[in-house]
Amino acid sequence: MTTSRGGLQPRKQPRQARAELTRERILTAAAHVFADHGYAAGTTNRIAERARISIGSLYQYYPNKDAILAELLARHLDAVTTATRRRRDDGLPGSLEGAVRDQVRAVIENHRHDPHLLRVMFEQAPRSPELLERISHHEQELIAYVQELLENSPQARVDDSYVAARLVVTTVELVVHRLIAEPDPVDIPRLENELVAMLIRYVTNAPEAAAGP
């Protein structure tokens, strides 16, 4: 869902510690409300009640629930991007399997804290041009990281490292996002192991993966 930029911008940027604490209370309360009640029932009244502030105080910071949800999503993306840069700065892992496992595990960790909130954020959060640009930038950083892994690993056997990197990033994000938030979620260690095995067979072109029926 896309929307105009104006309706998603916070109204008040905190300049004092007390104001910053109030904004954090609103965002924390909103995260619980959206996770517990979903997007449609996650009203500003419920958020204000959970944050223990008046609805008028909430509207001093955010014009509507869409702006709150958009900021939660932006913060999530910023945290993931920071973690990706940190892993990249630490250097490439010694083995391709270790690198793929590291990427899969990082995505799982990003989702397992509150998968229901993430489902609301990614599937129902409004999309301003600014937020869409941030999402695109986040994806491109992940793709560049995985492409570098593939191009520097003698074990990798892919014809097109860029397309392969996009496939890896998209597969991990979609599979983890879908299976962790299910009513009957897949066991985390089993999900990690099977997903890593699937991706390694693909990027190394292992005989058992390439063989026909």
Side-chain angles (χ1 to χ4, degrees), residues 119-133:
R119 172 162 284 189
V120 171
M121 288 196 298
F122 279 100
E123 296 180 3
Q124 302 179 35
R127 301 288 197 265
S128 66
E130 181 183 31
L131 191 56
L132 288 172
E133 182 179 354

PDB file of all heavy atoms in Angstrom, residues 119-133:
ATOM      1  N   ARG A 119       5.011  -9.241  10.348  1.00  0.00           N
ATOM      2  CA  ARG A 119       4.045  -9.527   9.278  1.00  0.00           C
ATOM      3  C   ARG A 119       3.127  -8.330   9.067  1.00  0.00           C
ATOM      4  O   ARG A 119       2.835  -7.959   7.928  1.00  0.00           O
ATOM      5  CB  ARG A 119       3.227 -10.778   9.634  1.00  0.00           C
ATOM      6  CG  ARG A 119       2.076 -11.026   8.673  1.00  0.00           C
ATOM      7  CD  ARG A 119       1.549 -12.441   8.756  1.00  0.00           C
ATOM      8  NE  ARG A 119       2.458 -13.351   8.074  1.00  0.00           N
ATOM      9  CZ  ARG A 119       2.168 -14.630   7.845  1.00  0.00           C
ATOM     10  NH1 ARG A 119       1.037 -15.152   8.256  1.00  0.00           N
ATOM     11  NH2 ARG A 119       3.025 -15.392   7.203  1.00  0.00           N
ATOM     12  N   VAL A 120       2.688  -7.709  10.147  1.00  0.00           N
ATOM     13  CA  VAL A 120       1.853  -6.512  10.012  1.00  0.00           C
ATOM     14  C   VAL A 120       2.635  -5.399   9.320  1.00  0.00           C
ATOM     15  O   VAL A 120       2.134  -4.732   8.407  1.00  0.00           O
ATOM     16  CB  VAL A 120       1.357  -6.035  11.393  1.00  0.00           C
ATOM     17  CG1 VAL A 120       0.670  -4.677  11.278  1.00  0.00           C
ATOM     18  CG2 VAL A 120       0.394  -7.052  11.991  1.00  0.00           C
ATOM     19  N   MET A 121       3.903  -5.201   9.729  1.00  0.00           N
ATOM     20  CA  MET A 121       4.702  -4.119   9.174  1.00  0.00           C
ATOM     21  C   MET A 121       4.950  -4.306   7.686  1.00  0.00           C
ATOM     22  O   MET A 121       4.816  -3.378   6.895  1.00  0.00           O
ATOM     23  CB  MET A 121       6.030  -3.999   9.920  1.00  0.00           C
ATOM     24  CG  MET A 121       5.901  -3.436  11.331  1.00  0.00           C
ATOM     25  SD  MET A 121       7.476  -2.865  12.022  1.00  0.00           S
ATOM     26  CE  MET A 121       8.437  -4.381  12.059  1.00  0.00           C
ATOM     27  N   PHE A 122       5.320  -5.513   7.283  1.00  0.00           N
ATOM     28  CA  PHE A 122       5.694  -5.731   5.894  1.00  0.00           C
ATOM     29  C   PHE A 122       4.498  -5.925   4.976  1.00  0.00           C
ATOM     30  O   PHE A 122       4.569  -5.597   3.789  1.00  0.00           O
ATOM     31  CB  PHE A 122       6.632  -6.936   5.787  1.00  0.00           C
ATOM     32  CG  PHE A 122       8.053  -6.605   6.132  1.00  0.00           C
ATOM     33  CD1 PHE A 122       8.565  -6.911   7.383  1.00  0.00           C
ATOM     34  CD2 PHE A 122       8.868  -5.962   5.233  1.00  0.00           C
ATOM     35  CE1 PHE A 122       9.871  -6.597   7.714  1.00  0.00           C
ATOM     36  CE2 PHE A 122      10.179  -5.649   5.544  1.00  0.00           C
ATOM     37  CZ  PHE A 122      10.684  -5.962   6.791  1.00  0.00           C
ATOM     38  N   GLU A 123       3.399  -6.449   5.496  1.00  0.00           N
ATOM     39  CA  GLU A 123       2.261  -6.732   4.640  1.00  0.00           C
ATOM     40  C   GLU A 123       1.212  -5.627   4.670  1.00  0.00           C
ATOM     41  O   GLU A 123       0.424  -5.507   3.731  1.00  0.00           O
ATOM     42  CB  GLU A 123       1.625  -8.064   5.038  1.00  0.00           C
ATOM     43  CG  GLU A 123       2.558  -9.257   4.825  1.00  0.00           C
ATOM     44  CD  GLU A 123       1.930 -10.578   5.223  1.00  0.00           C
ATOM     45  OE1 GLU A 123       0.736 -10.576   5.617  1.00  0.00           O
ATOM     46  OE2 GLU A 123       2.624 -11.616   5.144  1.00  0.00           O
ATOM     47  N   GLN A 124       1.168  -4.822   5.739  1.00  0.00           N
ATOM     48  CA  GLN A 124       0.086  -3.861   5.864  1.00  0.00           C
ATOM     49  C   GLN A 124       0.546  -2.428   6.079  1.00  0.00           C
ATOM     50  O   GLN A 124      -0.275  -1.507   6.018  1.00  0.00           O
ATOM     51  CB  GLN A 124      -0.828  -4.275   7.025  1.00  0.00           C
ATOM     52  CG  GLN A 124      -1.413  -5.669   6.847  1.00  0.00           C
ATOM     53  CD  GLN A 124      -2.298  -6.078   8.004  1.00  0.00           C
ATOM     54  OE1 GLN A 124      -2.993  -5.266   8.595  1.00  0.00           O
ATOM     55  NE2 GLN A 124      -2.278  -7.359   8.333  1.00  0.00           N
ATOM     56  N   ALA A 125       1.832  -2.221   6.336  1.00  0.00           N
ATOM     57  CA  ALA A 125       2.307  -0.854   6.570  1.00  0.00           C
ATOM     58  C   ALA A 125       2.177  -0.027   5.302  1.00  0.00           C
ATOM     59  O   ALA A 125       2.459  -0.503   4.209  1.00  0.00           O
ATOM     60  CB  ALA A 125       3.758  -0.872   7.031  1.00  0.00           C
ATOM     61  N   PRO A 126       1.741   1.234   5.426  1.00  0.00           N
ATOM     62  CA  PRO A 126       1.682   2.116   4.259  1.00  0.00           C
ATOM     63  C   PRO A 126       3.071   2.403   3.730  1.00  0.00           C
ATOM     64  O   PRO A 126       4.054   2.355   4.474  1.00  0.00           O
ATOM     65  CB  PRO A 126       1.021   3.388   4.802  1.00  0.00           C
ATOM     66  CG  PRO A 126       1.332   3.369   6.268  1.00  0.00           C
ATOM     67  CD  PRO A 126       1.350   1.920   6.658  1.00  0.00           C
ATOM     68  N   ARG A 127       3.170   2.666   2.444  1.00  0.00           N
ATOM     69  CA  ARG A 127       4.469   2.875   1.810  1.00  0.00           C
ATOM     70  C   ARG A 127       4.565   4.294   1.262  1.00  0.00           C
ATOM     71  O   ARG A 127       3.939   4.627   0.259  1.00  0.00           O
ATOM     72  CB  ARG A 127       4.668   1.880   0.660  1.00  0.00           C
ATOM     73  CG  ARG A 127       4.607   0.406   1.064  1.00  0.00           C
ATOM     74  CD  ARG A 127       5.844   0.011   1.856  1.00  0.00           C
ATOM     75  NE  ARG A 127       6.006  -1.432   1.915  1.00  0.00           N
ATOM     76  CZ  ARG A 127       5.573  -2.185   2.899  1.00  0.00           C
ATOM     77  NH1 ARG A 127       4.933  -1.633   3.910  1.00  0.00           N
ATOM     78  NH2 ARG A 127       5.765  -3.488   2.891  1.00  0.00           N
ATOM     79  N   SER A 128       5.344   5.122   1.906  1.00  0.00           N
ATOM     80  CA  SER A 128       5.628   6.451   1.375  1.00  0.00           C
ATOM     81  C   SER A 128       6.800   6.316   0.407  1.00  0.00           C
ATOM     82  O   SER A 128       7.556   5.341   0.454  1.00  0.00           O
ATOM     83  CB  SER A 128       6.007   7.408   2.516  1.00  0.00           C
ATOM     84  OG  SER A 128       7.237   7.012   3.093  1.00  0.00           O
ATOM     85  N   PRO A 129       7.011   7.278  -0.496  1.00  0.00           N
ATOM     86  CA  PRO A 129       8.177   7.223  -1.388  1.00  0.00           C
ATOM     87  C   PRO A 129       9.480   7.093  -0.606  1.00  0.00           C
ATOM     88  O   PRO A 129      10.379   6.363  -1.017  1.00  0.00           O
ATOM     89  CB  PRO A 129       8.087   8.550  -2.146  1.00  0.00           C
ATOM     90  CG  PRO A 129       6.632   8.875  -2.156  1.00  0.00           C
ATOM     91  CD  PRO A 129       6.111   8.398  -0.829  1.00  0.00           C
ATOM     92  N   GLU A 130       9.578   7.791   0.507  1.00  0.00           N
ATOM     93  CA  GLU A 130      10.794   7.733   1.322  1.00  0.00           C
ATOM     94  C   GLU A 130      11.005   6.336   1.882  1.00  0.00           C
ATOM     95  O   GLU A 130      12.125   5.809   1.880  1.00  0.00           O
ATOM     96  CB  GLU A 130      10.704   8.738   2.461  1.00  0.00           C
ATOM     97  CG  GLU A 130      11.939   8.761   3.359  1.00  0.00           C
ATOM     98  CD  GLU A 130      11.785   9.712   4.529  1.00  0.00           C
ATOM     99  OE1 GLU A 130      10.640   9.897   4.988  1.00  0.00           O
ATOM    100  OE2 GLU A 130      12.790  10.267   4.973  1.00  0.00           O
ATOM    101  N   LEU A 131       9.921   5.705   2.351  1.00  0.00           N
ATOM    102  CA  LEU A 131      10.039   4.372   2.924  1.00  0.00           C
ATOM    103  C   LEU A 131      10.353   3.342   1.842  1.00  0.00           C
ATOM    104  O   LEU A 131      11.149   2.423   2.054  1.00  0.00           O
ATOM    105  CB  LEU A 131       8.750   3.996   3.653  1.00  0.00           C
ATOM    106  CG  LEU A 131       8.803   2.737   4.529  1.00  0.00           C
ATOM    107  CD1 LEU A 131       9.919   2.831   5.561  1.00  0.00           C
ATOM    108  CD2 LEU A 131       7.460   2.526   5.214  1.00  0.00           C
ATOM    109  N   LEU A 132       9.741   3.486   0.675  1.00  0.00           N
ATOM    110  CA  LEU A 132      10.033   2.582  -0.435  1.00  0.00           C
ATOM    111  C   LEU A 132      11.503   2.672  -0.837  1.00  0.00           C
ATOM    112  O   LEU A 132      12.144   1.660  -1.142  1.00  0.00           O
ATOM    113  CB  LEU A 132       9.134   2.907  -1.629  1.00  0.00           C
ATOM    114  CG  LEU A 132       7.663   2.524  -1.493  1.00  0.00           C
ATOM    115  CD1 LEU A 132       6.862   3.080  -2.661  1.00  0.00           C
ATOM    116  CD2 LEU A 132       7.504   1.003  -1.428  1.00  0.00           C
ATOM    117  N   GLU A 133      12.033   3.881  -0.822  1.00  0.00           N
ATOM    118  CA  GLU A 133      13.443   4.067  -1.153  1.00  0.00           C
ATOM    119  C   GLU A 133      14.331   3.393  -0.105  1.00  0.00           C
ATOM    120  O   GLU A 133      15.351   2.779  -0.433  1.00  0.00           O
ATOM    121  CB  GLU A 133      13.767   5.559  -1.240  1.00  0.00           C
ATOM    122  CG  GLU A 133      15.215   5.847  -1.637  1.00  0.00           C
ATOM    123  CD  GLU A 133      15.495   7.337  -1.745  1.00  0.00           C
ATOM    124  OE1 GLU A 133      14.547   8.141  -1.633  1.00  0.00           O
ATOM    125  OE2 GLU A 133      16.671   7.699  -1.935  1.00  0.00           O
TER     126      GLU A 133
END
